[in-house]
C-alpha cells in the first residue's frame, strides 16, 4: 500500500515514514502543496496524509483539489489545529478523517487500516481515472483536468480523448477512430477526425509546453507525454 505524506516538519515527516514503512506500507514524503499535487498526477497512492499549514498550497486546498477529480482515495488530515471549526472545514472539503497533533503513531495506524478496509480493492471508480502526465480524465464524471484546471469538452471531444488515452501511447488510425468514436456515422474520407483532433489540441495542449496529442504521419494519432 502506497501512502503520500504532505508534511513540512522534516523530523516528523521522516519519523512518520519510517513508522509506516515498518508496518508494511511504502511512504513518499512531500513538503509543500504544489509539489504534492504534481506528484499525484504521475503516481498512484492508496491514501493521502495532509498537514494543513504547509508552504505554497495549504493542505485543505490540496484536499479540495484532489476531490475535484478523485472522490475515493482516503484522505486523513493531520494538524495542530484542533478547533471544531478547523475540523468542520476539513470534512466540508471531503476529508475522511482528522487527527490532531501531537498524536500517537499507533492511533494513526488504526485509522489508516480502518479507512483502507472500507475501500474495496475492486472499486470500479479507481479504474475510471486515467492519468497521463498532468492530464487527468475522470470517465465516470466525464471531466478532464490538466495541471489541476478543468477543461470543458463536448461529448465527442471527450470520447475521442478517452479513446486516445486508452490506447496507452499506441497509434490509432483515422479508421479506428471513426469505428470507435463515431461508429461509422460519416464517410472516412471527410476531415471530421482531423477537425476534432485540432479541437482537442487547442483545449488540451495549446497553453502547455509539453504536448500530449501527436500525429504519426500516414498512420494516425497517439496520446503520450513522449
Amino acid at each position: 500500500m502506497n501512502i503520500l505524506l504532505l508534511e513540512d516538519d522534516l523530523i516528523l515527516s521522516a519519523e512518520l515514514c519510517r513508522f509506516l514503512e515498518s508496518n508494511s506500507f511504502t511512504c513518499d514524503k512531500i513538503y509543500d502543496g504544489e509539489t504534492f499535487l504534481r506528484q499525484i498526477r504521475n503516481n498512484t497512492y492508496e491514501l493521502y496524509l495532509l498537514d494543513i499549514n504547509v508552504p505554497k498550497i495549504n493542505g485543505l486546498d490540496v484536499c479540495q483539489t484532489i476531490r475535484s477529480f478523485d472522490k475515493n482515495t482516503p484522505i486523513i488530515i493531520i494538524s495542530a489545529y484542533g478547533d471544531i471549526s478547523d475540523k468542520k472545514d476539513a470534512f466540508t472539503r471531503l476529508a475522511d478523517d482528522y487527527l490532531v497533533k501531537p498524536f500517537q503513531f499507533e492511533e494513526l495506524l488504526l485509522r489508516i487500516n480502518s479507512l483502507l478496509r472500507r475501500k474495496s480493492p475492486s472499486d470500479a471508480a479507481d479504474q475510471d481515472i486515467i492519468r497521463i502526465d498532468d492530464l487527468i480524465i475522470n470517465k465516470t464524471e466525464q471531466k478532464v483536468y490538466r495541471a489541476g484546471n478543468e477543461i470543458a469538452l463536448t461529448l465527442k471531444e471527450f470520447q475521442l480523448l478517452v479513446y486516445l488515452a486508452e490506447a496507452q501511447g499506441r497509434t490509432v488510425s483515422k479508421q479506428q477512430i471513426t469505428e470507435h468514436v463515431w461508429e461509422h456515422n460519416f464517410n472516412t474520407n471527410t476531415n471530421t477526425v482531423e477537425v476534432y483532433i485540432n479541437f482537442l489540441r487547442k483545449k488540451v495542449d495549446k497553453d502547455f509546453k509539453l504536448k500530449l496529442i501527436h500525429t504519426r504521419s500516414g498512420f494516425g494519432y497517439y496520446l503520450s507525454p513522449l
Side-chain angles (χ1 to χ4, degrees):
M1 288 289 183
N2 301 319
I3 294 177
L4 186 59
L5 168 65
L6 175 61
E7 172 60 69
D8 65 336
D9 183 321
L10 301 185
I11 295 176
L12 177 58
S13 178
E15 289 178 348
L16 265 176
C17 277
R18 278 197 298 270
F19 173 77
L20 292 170
E21 288 165 355
S22 71
N23 283 276
S24 302
F25 294 97
T26 62
C27 179
D28 292 335
K29 48 188 182 292
I30 302 292
Y31 308 114
D32 70 84
E34 188 176 284
T35 304
F36 187 96
L37 289 175
R38 285 201 303 269
Q39 179 79 2
I40 65 175
R41 292 186 189 110
N42 299 315
N43 300 276
T44 300
Y45 294 92
E46 279 69 47
L47 184 137
Y48 301 121
L49 293 175
L50 309 178
D51 186 15
I52 293 178
N53 189 21
V54 295
K56 297 185 179 179
I57 302 175
N58 72 57
L60 292 179
D61 288 341
V62 167
C63 178
Q64 185 170 339
T65 299
I66 292 171
R67 288 298 182 236
S68 70
F69 59 83
D70 177 357
K71 307 295 185 189
N72 300 288
T73 303
I75 298 174
I76 300 178
I77 302 294
I78 51 173
S79 173
Y81 302 142
D83 292 344
I84 190 64
S85 60
D86 298 310
K87 296 178 181 179
K88 182 179 179 181
D89 197 4
F91 287 117
T92 298
R93 300 186 196 217
L94 302 182
D96 295 285
D97 205 346
Y98 194 110
L99 197 55
V100 179
K101 299 175 183 177
F103 53 83
Q104 302 227 355
F105 287 3
E106 289 291 343
E107 181 179 357
L108 174 63
L109 181 62
L110 290 173
R111 295 186 185 219
I112 289 173
N113 287 330
S114 176
L115 284 172
L116 292 177
R117 278 196 302 272
R118 293 180 211 166
K119 185 187 178 196
S120 169
S122 60
D123 195 336
D126 285 345
Q127 300 171 13
D128 284 339
I129 302 293
I130 302 174
R131 302 168 191 257
I132 300 172
D133 199 74
D134 60 353
L135 177 71
I136 296 171
I137 303 170
N138 187 319
K139 292 168 58 181
T140 301
E141 298 185 3
Q142 295 191 338
K143 291 185 177 182
V144 176
Y145 302 85
R146 183 140 191 210
N149 299 308
E150 185 172 357
I151 299 172
L153 299 179
T154 67
L155 178 59
K156 280 302 175 192
E157 289 169 348
F158 180 80
Q159 290 172 339
L160 174 56
L161 184 65
V162 169
Y163 182 61
L164 290 172
E166 289 183 336
Q168 299 181 331
R170 298 188 303 274
T171 300
V172 291
S173 68
K174 181 178 173 181
Q175 178 69 30
Q176 289 173 313
I177 291 172
T178 61
E179 288 176 0
H180 288 85
V181 179
W182 277 273
E183 298 179 350
H184 283 300
N185 288 331
F186 65 86
N187 190 318
T188 55
N189 291 324
T190 68
N191 66 344
T192 302
V193 172
E194 291 92 331
V195 168
Y196 273 83
I197 288 289
N198 286 332
F199 286 161
L200 279 183
R201 281 180 167 142
K202 288 177 181 177
K203 294 183 177 182
V204 174
D205 276 346
K206 182 179 177 182
D207 296 328
F208 298 90
K209 182 178 179 181
L210 177 65
K211 308 304 179 187
L212 299 177
I213 301 169
H214 307 278
T215 301
R216 188 179 174 201
S217 183
F219 292 91
Y221 305 94
Y222 65 97
L223 182 65
S224 172
L226 303 176

